[in-house]
Amino acid sequence: MPGTVIVGTQWGDEGKGRFTDYLAKESELVVRYQGGHNAGHTIVVDGEVFALQLVPSGVLYDYVTPVIGNGVVVDPAVLVAELDMLGGKGIDTSRLRVSGNAHLIMPYHQELDRVTERYLGKNKLGTTKRGIGPAYADKALRVGLRVQDLLDPKIFREKLDLVLREKNGVLAKVYNRLPLDADEICEQYLAMEPRLRPLIADTVHLVHDALEAGQRVLFEGAQATYLDLDHGTYPFVTSSNPVAGGVCTGAGVGPRAIDRIVGITKAYATRVGAGPFPTELPDGDAVGNLLVDRGVEFGTNTGRRRRPGWLDAVMLRHAVRLNTCTEIAITKLDVLAPLPELKVCVAYEGEDGTRYEHVPYHQSVLHKVRPVYETVPGWGTEIDGAGRIEDLPDAAREYVRFVEELAGVPVSFVSVGPGREQTVVLPRAA
Ligand code: GDP
Ligand code: IMO
Ligand code: MG
């Protein structure tokens, strides 16, 4: 079964979108399986920038069917705006299919995301405030509205009335906010139905028909391993399962549908929002500033400055396991060019001096570990024009080899710039 998964091995923004776009050229279907418009995937084609939140990154090829799977949470207004944006750039989006089982993000989800963050004060998670957590919570509570409900105004209204009573009670009585109006919500959401109706489908059938026909299906993860609800740095995580296992529930396939899992790994690390980050460089650190400046490490989505740090091979090794990665792709190697030496975290040291080769499961330990670094030489020249691995300076190739050894699986690709053509394919991946 020819299914490939793209999954982030860090805290997001590793460059999943650009690699989905790269691998989409040899795929027939590209399927998002979780998350929502908290994602921001940037693709650069011939200098033109496409910033996508909901539509899978395969949309840029006219022979690819982009699919929004049942595991995604959809804000229909954002989807319509994204379709308009793509249409305005000459991209045909008529092939997009959206699962009728995907849950809708409703106005009260966004409002609750905002007020609960405010309520948490200094303990806030730093969410994207897109309503993601509250929408997944309602899915689990079985009071969510789904994309298919847009097709039946009566049912939509009934479900909304039921849930809004409770939401308005909470908004008014707990958070001192004005109640939301069911008429307004209905009007706003149902007005989008004619636009969305042709796109709504049984995407599970679509995916299985494609797999059975021997077509190549690419599953595009949003967020990343350490933002996973079960395996990430809880509670500083998102509310879905970005790990490769999430494909099974979020797209409706069994594990045997997947034979390739590409872990996307930035050559250094970043994190947006709160939560532990063992290799984080302190505020004002010259290397951290260089990584942010050269890597343009500001959220595609919220514009927030990403927290920078060195590559963490303890986390990488664990991510390779959690996702059963068959390989990894190293992105943004070009960003490291001016640095005379590079650090890679190979283990942690706990407060009491204990050495950890694995990510400690206990959050009080993880929050306080110190990284144990190995230092390797930098290469000191720009590499953004490299087209083949032989074009890279020895020290850059050595860095790739070192990361490969630490990850325990082959490196298939290295990217040296945001453009499609700035992708170095390692011989065994060709
Ligand atoms: P995603 O969320 O994992 O898809 O990643 P984002 O798109 O949010 O963030 C990655 C950013 O790095 C985007 O602005 C990309 O255009 C850019 N990018 C991706 N690969 C490379 C690379 O190899 N080098 C450089 N300099 N930028 C890259
Ligand atoms: P892509 O797909 C980086 C982070 C938020 C916050 C936490 C929870 O572009 O890699 P949420 O709004 O999901 O409830 O926020 O998760 N976060 C991301 N960080 N890249 C993303 O997506 C993210 N999506 C969510 O900053 O810390
Ligand atoms: Mg991103």
Short mmCIF file of all heavy atoms in Angstrom, two decimals, residues 245-298:
data_model
loop_
_atom_site.label_atom_id
_atom_site.label_comp_id
_atom_site.label_asym_id
_atom_site.label_seq_id
_atom_site.Cartn_x
_atom_site.Cartn_y
_atom_site.Cartn_z
N GLY A 245 0.77 7.82 13.81
CA GLY A 245 -0.40 7.01 14.19
C GLY A 245 -1.70 7.75 14.02
O GLY A 245 -2.76 7.14 13.81
N GLY A 246 -1.66 9.07 14.11
CA GLY A 246 -2.86 9.90 13.94
C GLY A 246 -3.45 9.79 12.54
O GLY A 246 -4.63 10.09 12.33
N VAL A 247 -2.64 9.37 11.59
CA VAL A 247 -3.14 9.19 10.21
C VAL A 247 -4.28 8.18 10.20
O VAL A 247 -5.26 8.33 9.49
CB VAL A 247 -2.00 8.71 9.28
CG1 VAL A 247 -2.55 8.27 7.93
CG2 VAL A 247 -0.96 9.81 9.10
N CYS A 248 -4.13 7.14 11.01
CA CYS A 248 -5.11 6.05 10.97
C CYS A 248 -6.49 6.54 11.36
O CYS A 248 -7.47 6.28 10.65
CB CYS A 248 -4.66 4.91 11.89
SG CYS A 248 -3.15 4.14 11.29
N THR A 249 -6.57 7.28 12.46
CA THR A 249 -7.89 7.77 12.88
C THR A 249 -8.29 9.01 12.07
O THR A 249 -9.46 9.17 11.73
CB THR A 249 -7.89 8.13 14.38
OG1 THR A 249 -6.77 8.96 14.65
CG2 THR A 249 -7.84 6.88 15.23
N GLY A 250 -7.33 9.85 11.75
CA GLY A 250 -7.65 11.14 11.13
C GLY A 250 -7.94 11.07 9.64
O GLY A 250 -8.46 12.01 9.06
N ALA A 251 -7.57 9.94 9.03
CA ALA A 251 -7.86 9.78 7.59
C ALA A 251 -8.67 8.52 7.34
O ALA A 251 -9.17 8.33 6.24
CB ALA A 251 -6.57 9.76 6.78
N GLY A 252 -8.75 7.64 8.36
CA GLY A 252 -9.57 6.43 8.20
C GLY A 252 -8.86 5.30 7.47
O GLY A 252 -9.47 4.62 6.65
N VAL A 253 -7.57 5.11 7.77
CA VAL A 253 -6.85 3.97 7.19
C VAL A 253 -6.21 3.17 8.32
O VAL A 253 -5.98 3.69 9.40
CB VAL A 253 -5.75 4.42 6.19
CG1 VAL A 253 -6.36 5.16 5.01
CG2 VAL A 253 -4.69 5.28 6.89
N GLY A 254 -5.90 1.91 8.05
CA GLY A 254 -5.17 1.11 9.02
C GLY A 254 -3.67 1.31 8.83
O GLY A 254 -3.23 1.85 7.80
N PRO A 255 -2.87 0.88 9.83
CA PRO A 255 -1.42 1.08 9.74
C PRO A 255 -0.79 0.47 8.49
O PRO A 255 0.21 0.96 8.00
CB PRO A 255 -0.89 0.37 11.00
CG PRO A 255 -2.05 0.25 11.91
CD PRO A 255 -3.29 0.23 11.07
N ARG A 256 -1.40 -0.59 7.94
CA ARG A 256 -0.79 -1.22 6.77
C ARG A 256 -0.92 -0.37 5.50
O ARG A 256 -0.33 -0.70 4.48
CB ARG A 256 -1.39 -2.62 6.54
CG ARG A 256 -0.90 -3.62 7.58
CD ARG A 256 -1.14 -5.04 7.15
NE ARG A 256 -2.55 -5.31 6.92
CZ ARG A 256 -3.04 -5.92 5.84
NH1 ARG A 256 -2.24 -6.34 4.90
NH2 ARG A 256 -4.33 -6.12 5.72
N ALA A 257 -1.69 0.71 5.58
CA ALA A 257 -1.80 1.61 4.42
C ALA A 257 -0.57 2.50 4.28
O ALA A 257 -0.44 3.23 3.29
CB ALA A 257 -3.05 2.48 4.56
N ILE A 258 0.32 2.43 5.26
CA ILE A 258 1.45 3.36 5.29
C ILE A 258 2.75 2.58 5.13
O ILE A 258 2.98 1.61 5.85
CB ILE A 258 1.48 4.11 6.63
CG1 ILE A 258 0.19 4.92 6.82
CG2 ILE A 258 2.70 5.01 6.73
CD1 ILE A 258 -0.05 5.34 8.25
N ASP A 259 3.58 2.98 4.17
CA ASP A 259 4.86 2.28 4.06
C ASP A 259 6.06 3.20 4.12
O ASP A 259 7.20 2.74 4.08
CB ASP A 259 4.90 1.38 2.82
CG ASP A 259 4.80 2.17 1.53
OD1 ASP A 259 4.72 3.41 1.61
OD2 ASP A 259 4.81 1.55 0.46
N ARG A 260 5.82 4.50 4.19
CA ARG A 260 6.95 5.42 4.27
C ARG A 260 6.58 6.56 5.20
O ARG A 260 5.49 7.15 5.06
CB ARG A 260 7.23 5.95 2.85
CG ARG A 260 8.45 6.82 2.77
CD ARG A 260 8.68 7.28 1.34
NE ARG A 260 9.95 7.98 1.25
CZ ARG A 260 10.32 8.77 0.24
NH1 ARG A 260 9.51 8.94 -0.79
NH2 ARG A 260 11.47 9.37 0.25
N ILE A 261 7.47 6.88 6.13
CA ILE A 261 7.20 7.95 7.10
C ILE A 261 8.42 8.87 7.17
O ILE A 261 9.49 8.47 7.64
CB ILE A 261 6.86 7.37 8.48
CG1 ILE A 261 5.59 6.48 8.36
CG2 ILE A 261 6.64 8.48 9.50
CD1 ILE A 261 5.34 5.57 9.54
N VAL A 262 8.24 10.06 6.65
CA VAL A 262 9.36 11.01 6.57
C VAL A 262 9.25 12.01 7.73
O VAL A 262 8.29 12.78 7.80
CB VAL A 262 9.35 11.77 5.21
CG1 VAL A 262 10.60 12.62 5.08
CG2 VAL A 262 9.21 10.79 4.04
N GLY A 263 10.20 11.97 8.62
CA GLY A 263 10.23 12.89 9.76
C GLY A 263 10.95 14.17 9.35
O GLY A 263 12.11 14.14 8.95
N ILE A 264 10.24 15.27 9.44
CA ILE A 264 10.86 16.55 9.03
C ILE A 264 11.54 17.18 10.25
O ILE A 264 10.90 17.40 11.28
CB ILE A 264 9.80 17.52 8.43
CG1 ILE A 264 8.95 16.81 7.36
CG2 ILE A 264 10.48 18.76 7.87
CD1 ILE A 264 9.69 16.31 6.15
N THR A 265 12.82 17.46 10.09
CA THR A 265 13.66 17.93 11.20
C THR A 265 14.41 19.19 10.79
O THR A 265 15.19 19.15 9.83
CB THR A 265 14.70 16.83 11.52
OG1 THR A 265 14.01 15.61 11.77
CG2 THR A 265 15.55 17.20 12.71
N LYS A 266 14.15 20.25 11.50
CA LYS A 266 14.91 21.47 11.23
C LYS A 266 16.34 21.25 11.72
O LYS A 266 16.55 20.55 12.71
CB LYS A 266 14.22 22.64 11.93
CG LYS A 266 14.68 23.96 11.48
CD LYS A 266 13.67 25.09 11.54
CE LYS A 266 12.64 25.14 12.60
NZ LYS A 266 11.75 26.30 12.45
N ALA A 267 17.31 21.85 11.05
CA ALA A 267 18.73 21.66 11.41
C ALA A 267 19.04 22.23 12.79
O ALA A 267 20.11 21.99 13.36
CB ALA A 267 19.62 22.32 10.35
N TYR A 268 18.12 23.04 13.31
CA TYR A 268 18.18 23.53 14.70
C TYR A 268 16.77 23.35 15.24
O TYR A 268 16.05 22.49 14.71
CB TYR A 268 18.68 24.98 14.73
CG TYR A 268 17.95 25.90 13.76
CD1 TYR A 268 16.88 26.69 14.17
CD2 TYR A 268 18.30 25.93 12.40
CE1 TYR A 268 16.20 27.49 13.27
CE2 TYR A 268 17.61 26.73 11.50
CZ TYR A 268 16.57 27.50 11.93
OH TYR A 268 15.87 28.29 11.04
N ALA A 269 16.38 24.04 16.28
CA ALA A 269 15.02 23.83 16.80
C ALA A 269 14.35 25.18 17.06
O ALA A 269 15.02 26.18 17.32
CB ALA A 269 15.08 23.02 18.10
N THR A 270 13.01 25.17 16.94
CA THR A 270 12.25 26.35 17.38
C THR A 270 10.97 25.87 18.03
O THR A 270 10.53 24.75 17.83
CB THR A 270 11.86 27.28 16.20
OG1 THR A 270 11.06 26.56 15.27
CG2 THR A 270 13.05 27.88 15.51
N ARG A 271 10.39 26.77 18.79
CA ARG A 271 9.10 26.48 19.42
C ARG A 271 8.33 27.80 19.53
O ARG A 271 8.92 28.82 19.90
CB ARG A 271 9.36 25.87 20.81
CG ARG A 271 8.12 25.68 21.64
CD ARG A 271 8.24 24.75 22.81
NE ARG A 271 6.86 24.28 23.01
CZ ARG A 271 6.48 23.32 23.78
NH1 ARG A 271 7.35 22.65 24.50
NH2 ARG A 271 5.21 22.98 23.87
N VAL A 272 7.03 27.77 19.22
CA VAL A 272 6.17 28.96 19.46
C VAL A 272 5.23 28.62 20.60
O VAL A 272 4.73 27.50 20.66
CB VAL A 272 5.25 29.32 18.28
CG1 VAL A 272 5.06 30.82 18.16
CG2 VAL A 272 5.67 28.71 16.99
N GLY A 273 4.94 29.58 21.44
CA GLY A 273 4.06 29.31 22.57
C GLY A 273 4.87 28.79 23.74
O GLY A 273 6.10 28.62 23.65
N ALA A 274 4.17 28.50 24.84
CA ALA A 274 4.85 28.13 26.09
C ALA A 274 5.21 26.65 26.11
O ALA A 274 4.81 25.89 25.23
CB ALA A 274 3.93 28.45 27.26
N GLY A 275 6.02 26.26 27.13
CA GLY A 275 6.34 24.85 27.32
C GLY A 275 7.83 24.59 27.31
O GLY A 275 8.62 25.42 26.85
N PRO A 276 8.23 23.41 27.83
CA PRO A 276 9.64 23.09 27.96
C PRO A 276 10.37 23.00 26.63
O PRO A 276 9.78 22.56 25.63
CB PRO A 276 9.64 21.74 28.68
CG PRO A 276 8.30 21.16 28.40
CD PRO A 276 7.36 22.31 28.28
N PHE A 277 11.63 23.37 26.64
CA PHE A 277 12.43 23.40 25.42
C PHE A 277 13.89 23.32 25.88
O PHE A 277 14.54 24.35 26.05
CB PHE A 277 12.12 24.72 24.67
CG PHE A 277 12.83 24.94 23.37
CD1 PHE A 277 13.70 24.02 22.82
CD2 PHE A 277 12.58 26.12 22.66
CE1 PHE A 277 14.32 24.25 21.61
CE2 PHE A 277 13.19 26.37 21.44
CZ PHE A 277 14.06 25.44 20.93
N PRO A 278 14.39 22.11 26.13
CA PRO A 278 15.70 21.96 26.78
C PRO A 278 16.85 22.69 26.09
O PRO A 278 17.74 23.18 26.76
CB PRO A 278 15.92 20.44 26.76
CG PRO A 278 14.55 19.84 26.72
CD PRO A 278 13.71 20.80 25.92
N THR A 279 16.84 22.75 24.76
CA THR A 279 18.00 23.36 24.08
C THR A 279 17.76 24.84 23.73
O THR A 279 18.49 25.41 22.93
CB THR A 279 18.35 22.60 22.79
OG1 THR A 279 17.20 22.66 21.91
CG2 THR A 279 18.70 21.15 23.06
N GLU A 280 16.74 25.42 24.35
CA GLU A 280 16.44 26.83 24.04
C GLU A 280 17.62 27.73 24.37
O GLU A 280 18.27 27.58 25.42
CB GLU A 280 15.21 27.27 24.86
CG GLU A 280 14.82 28.71 24.58
CD GLU A 280 13.48 29.08 25.24
OE1 GLU A 280 13.02 28.34 26.14
OE2 GLU A 280 12.91 30.10 24.82
N LEU A 281 17.88 28.68 23.49
CA LEU A 281 18.93 29.67 23.75
C LEU A 281 18.30 30.84 24.49
O LEU A 281 17.17 31.22 24.19
CB LEU A 281 19.56 30.12 22.43
CG LEU A 281 20.40 29.02 21.76
CD1 LEU A 281 20.58 29.27 20.28
CD2 LEU A 281 21.76 28.92 22.47
N PRO A 282 19.03 31.42 25.46
CA PRO A 282 18.41 32.48 26.26
C PRO A 282 18.09 33.71 25.41
O PRO A 282 18.73 33.93 24.37
CB PRO A 282 19.47 32.79 27.32
CG PRO A 282 20.73 32.16 26.85
CD PRO A 282 20.39 31.09 25.87
N ASP A 283 17.13 34.47 25.89
CA ASP A 283 16.76 35.73 25.24
C ASP A 283 18.00 36.57 25.01
O ASP A 283 18.82 36.73 25.91
CB ASP A 283 15.82 36.50 26.20
CG ASP A 283 14.45 36.66 25.60
OD1 ASP A 283 14.22 36.09 24.53
OD2 ASP A 283 13.62 37.35 26.23
N GLY A 284 18.13 37.13 23.83
CA GLY A 284 19.25 38.02 23.56
C GLY A 284 20.51 37.30 23.14
O GLY A 284 21.51 37.94 22.78
N ASP A 285 20.53 35.97 23.18
CA ASP A 285 21.72 35.22 22.78
C ASP A 285 22.01 35.47 21.30
O ASP A 285 21.11 35.46 20.46
CB ASP A 285 21.46 33.72 23.02
CG ASP A 285 22.65 32.86 22.63
OD1 ASP A 285 23.49 32.64 23.51
OD2 ASP A 285 22.73 32.44 21.45
N ALA A 286 23.30 35.69 20.98
CA ALA A 286 23.66 36.08 19.61
C ALA A 286 23.33 34.95 18.61
O ALA A 286 22.84 35.22 17.51
CB ALA A 286 25.15 36.42 19.54
N VAL A 287 23.58 33.70 19.00
CA VAL A 287 23.28 32.59 18.08
C VAL A 287 21.77 32.49 17.88
O VAL A 287 21.28 32.34 16.75
CB VAL A 287 23.85 31.25 18.62
CG1 VAL A 287 23.35 30.09 17.75
CG2 VAL A 287 25.36 31.28 18.66
N GLY A 288 21.01 32.62 18.98
CA GLY A 288 19.55 32.57 18.88
C GLY A 288 19.03 33.66 17.95
O GLY A 288 18.17 33.39 17.09
N ASN A 289 19.57 34.86 18.10
CA ASN A 289 19.12 35.96 17.23
C ASN A 289 19.46 35.68 15.77
O ASN A 289 18.67 35.96 14.87
CB ASN A 289 19.76 37.28 17.66
CG ASN A 289 19.14 37.80 18.95
OD1 ASN A 289 18.05 37.37 19.34
ND2 ASN A 289 19.84 38.69 19.64
N LEU A 290 20.64 35.07 15.57
CA LEU A 290 21.04 34.75 14.19
C LEU A 290 20.09 33.72 13.58
O LEU A 290 19.67 33.84 12.43
CB LEU A 290 22.47 34.24 14.19
CG LEU A 290 23.04 33.83 12.82
CD1 LEU A 290 24.49 34.28 12.68
CD2 LEU A 290 22.94 32.33 12.57
N LEU A 291 19.73 32.70 14.36
CA LEU A 291 18.81 31.67 13.86
C LEU A 291 17.46 32.29 13.49
O LEU A 291 16.89 31.98 12.44
CB LEU A 291 18.62 30.56 14.90
CG LEU A 291 19.85 29.72 15.24
CD1 LEU A 291 19.53 28.74 16.38
CD2 LEU A 291 20.37 28.95 14.04
N VAL A 292 16.98 33.17 14.37
CA VAL A 292 15.67 33.80 14.11
C VAL A 292 15.76 34.71 12.88
O VAL A 292 14.88 34.68 12.01
CB VAL A 292 15.19 34.58 15.35
CG1 VAL A 292 13.95 35.42 15.02
CG2 VAL A 292 14.87 33.62 16.49
N ASP A 293 16.85 35.49 12.78
CA ASP A 293 16.96 36.43 11.65
C ASP A 293 17.14 35.69 10.33
O ASP A 293 16.42 35.92 9.38
CB ASP A 293 18.17 37.37 11.85
CG ASP A 293 17.90 38.35 12.99
OD1 ASP A 293 16.73 38.45 13.41
OD2 ASP A 293 18.86 38.99 13.47
N ARG A 294 18.10 34.79 10.30
CA ARG A 294 18.38 34.09 9.03
C ARG A 294 17.27 33.10 8.68
O ARG A 294 16.97 32.89 7.51
CB ARG A 294 19.72 33.35 9.11
CG ARG A 294 20.91 34.27 8.92
CD ARG A 294 22.21 33.50 8.96
NE ARG A 294 22.31 32.44 7.98
CZ ARG A 294 22.84 32.57 6.76
NH1 ARG A 294 23.27 33.74 6.36
NH2 ARG A 294 22.92 31.53 5.96
N GLY A 295 16.70 32.50 9.70
CA GLY A 295 15.63 31.51 9.44
C GLY A 295 14.27 32.15 9.31
O GLY A 295 13.28 31.47 9.07
N VAL A 296 14.20 33.48 9.49
CA VAL A 296 12.93 34.23 9.49
C VAL A 296 11.93 33.47 10.37
O VAL A 296 10.86 33.06 9.94
CB VAL A 296 12.35 34.45 8.07
CG1 VAL A 296 11.33 35.59 8.09
CG2 VAL A 296 13.44 34.74 7.06
N GLU A 297 12.31 33.29 11.63
CA GLU A 297 11.52 32.46 12.53
C GLU A 297 10.42 33.25 13.22
O GLU A 297 10.46 33.55 14.41
CB GLU A 297 12.44 31.76 13.55
CG GLU A 297 13.43 30.79 12.90
CD GLU A 297 12.77 29.57 12.22
OE1 GLU A 297 11.55 29.43 12.31
OE2 GLU A 297 13.49 28.78 11.60
N PHE A 298 9.45 33.61 12.42
CA PHE A 298 8.24 34.28 12.91
C PHE A 298 7.06 33.49 12.37
O PHE A 298 7.07 33.09 11.21
CB PHE A 298 8.18 35.73 12.44
CG PHE A 298 9.29 36.57 13.02
CD1 PHE A 298 10.50 36.70 12.35
CD2 PHE A 298 9.14 37.18 14.26
CE1 PHE A 298 11.54 37.44 12.90
CE2 PHE A 298 10.18 37.93 14.82
CZ PHE A 298 11.38 38.05 14.14
#
